[in-house]
């Protein structure tokens, strides 16, 4: 079933186009990195605010609310460009043991951020969640870089 | 022997090139540094463009995030310098590397120019203020230039 989804992605018009175009593939990767910079930047600023390191005069609730549209929009772009990269080399990702690990870590990271945004009023809990969130998001980036190598 | 060839042949550059893991480790730091640098710059630019943190004083947002931007910049500069050293003789003629370095110079010039002109007045702006047109132009240029640096940087590996 999962294999069928990967192979279908590879047969889509976007998939076949990217398989034949180095510039198209590089542009998709560039979009992926631009979008992840916005996601990562939002997460970094949001978590550092909870930890009392930046934007000390602004309530964490305000920081989360202000960053939310950019975080969400960029996360959608990360997902779309990520699926396009998979479509460009479906078998490579289907057989890669780091791919499910990265996706799993991403789910944990997104979940931690969602929980944290609802627990901002309990400072001790919020601080622990912020540290955990920073660690998991960093591990998403690390596994993402290693994905392309094995 | 040219300077680039000397850099390429240096023990450090050779060690990075010959190691299995050092290159991707440096690349990972380079991406994390990008997030710290570009992510915080984007937040400040969005404030200056009046699309986020409208109730916060622009100076408060900018000054609070600046240390994080500097840490990101240091990580990028060190990891980027080492990545370049390891490949220097092979890629110094790469058109995207040259474009990236030019765009990086423009992006830094934009920061310096902003801080020596419009930013001097920024402290006078309180919260809930809509920044001057000049500040918005600097912010828009900043977003475009740093995005272009990231895009051209990714293209270096393919051409």
């Amino acid at each position: 079933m999962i294999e069928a989804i990967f192979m279908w992605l590879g047969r889509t018009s976007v998939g076949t186009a990217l398989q034949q175009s180095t510039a198209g593939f590089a542009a998709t990767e560039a979009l992926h990195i631009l979008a992840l910079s916005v996601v990562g930047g939002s997460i970094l600023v949001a978590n550092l605010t909870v930890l009392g390191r930046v934007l000390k005069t602004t309530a964490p609730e305000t920081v989360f609310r202000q960053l939310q549209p950019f975080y969400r929009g960029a996360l959608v772009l990360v997902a779309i460009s990520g699926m396009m990269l998979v479509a460009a080399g479906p078998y490579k990702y289907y057989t890669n043991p780091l791919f499910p690990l990265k996706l799993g870590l991403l789910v944990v990271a997104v979940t931690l951020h969602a929980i944290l945004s609802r627990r901002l009023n309990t400072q001790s809990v919020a601080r622990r969640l912020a540290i955990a969130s920073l660690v998991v998001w960093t591990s998403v980036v690390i596994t993402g870089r290693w994905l392309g190598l094995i | 022997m040219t300077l680039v060839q000397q850099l390429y042949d240096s023990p450090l550059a050779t060690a990075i090139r010959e190691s299995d893991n050092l290159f991707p480790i440096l690349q990972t730091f380079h991406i994390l540094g990008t997030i710290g640098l570009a992510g915080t710059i984007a937040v400040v630019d969005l404030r200056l463009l009046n699309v986020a943190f409208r109730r916060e004083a622009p100076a408060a947002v900018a000054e609070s995030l600046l240390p994080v931007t500097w840490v990101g910049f240091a990580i990028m500069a060190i990891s980027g310098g080492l990545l370049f050293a390891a490949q220097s003789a092979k890629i110094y003629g790469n058109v995207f590397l040259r474009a990236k370095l030019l765009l990086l110079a423009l992006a830094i010039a934009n920061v310096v120019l902003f801080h020596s002109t419009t930013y001097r007045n920024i402290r006078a702006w309180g919260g809930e203020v809509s920044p001057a047109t000049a500040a918005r132009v600097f912010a828009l240029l900043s977003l475009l230039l740093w995005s272009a640096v990231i895009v051209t940087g990714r293209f270096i590996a393919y051409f």
Side-chain angles (χ1 to χ4, degrees), chain A residues 90-109:
Chain A
Y91 199 69
K92 182 185 150 193
Y93 291 99
Y94 178 68
T95 55
N96 195 319
L98 280 182
F99 189 67
L101 177 64
K102 179 188 169 171
L103 282 190
L105 286 167
L106 180 64
V107 170
V108 174

Side-chain angles (χ1 to χ4, degrees), chain A residues 29 40 55 58 66 145 149, chain B residues 24 27-28 35 53 56 64 158:
Chain A
E29 278 193 327
L55 302 174
T58 314
Q66 291 291 318
R145 173 60 285 206
L149 300 174
Chain B
Q27 284 182 316
T28 307
I35 293 169
F53 296 102
E56 314 304 316
S64 173
Y158 290 97

Side-chain angles (χ1 to χ4, degrees), chain A residues 25-121:
Chain A
F25 186 78
T28 310
E29 278 193 327
L31 176 64
H32 200 60
I33 297 178
L34 274 180
L36 82 82
S37 300
V38 176
V39 171
S42 308
I43 291 294
L44 185 63
V45 172
N47 288 331
L48 288 178
T49 306
V50 172
L51 294 171
R53 300 300 169 108
V54 298
L55 302 174
K56 288 170 194 161
T57 54
T58 314
E61 288 81 359
T62 306
V63 174
F64 273 63
R65 201 177 334 107
Q66 291 291 318
L67 291 174
Q68 196 79 315
F70 302 101
Y71 165 75
R72 282 189 183 161
L75 197 58
V76 170
L77 280 181
V78 165
I80 292 171
S81 56
M83 278 193 279
M84 287 166 70
L85 292 172
V86 172
Y91 199 69
K92 182 185 150 193
Y93 291 99
Y94 178 68
T95 55
N96 195 319
L98 280 182
F99 189 67
L101 177 64
K102 179 188 169 171
L103 282 190
L105 286 167
L106 180 64
V107 170
V108 174
V110 171
T111 308
L112 274 173
H113 185 68
I115 296 171
L116 174 57
S117 65
R118 285 169 188 81
R119 298 298 299 270
L120 291 169
N121 46 358

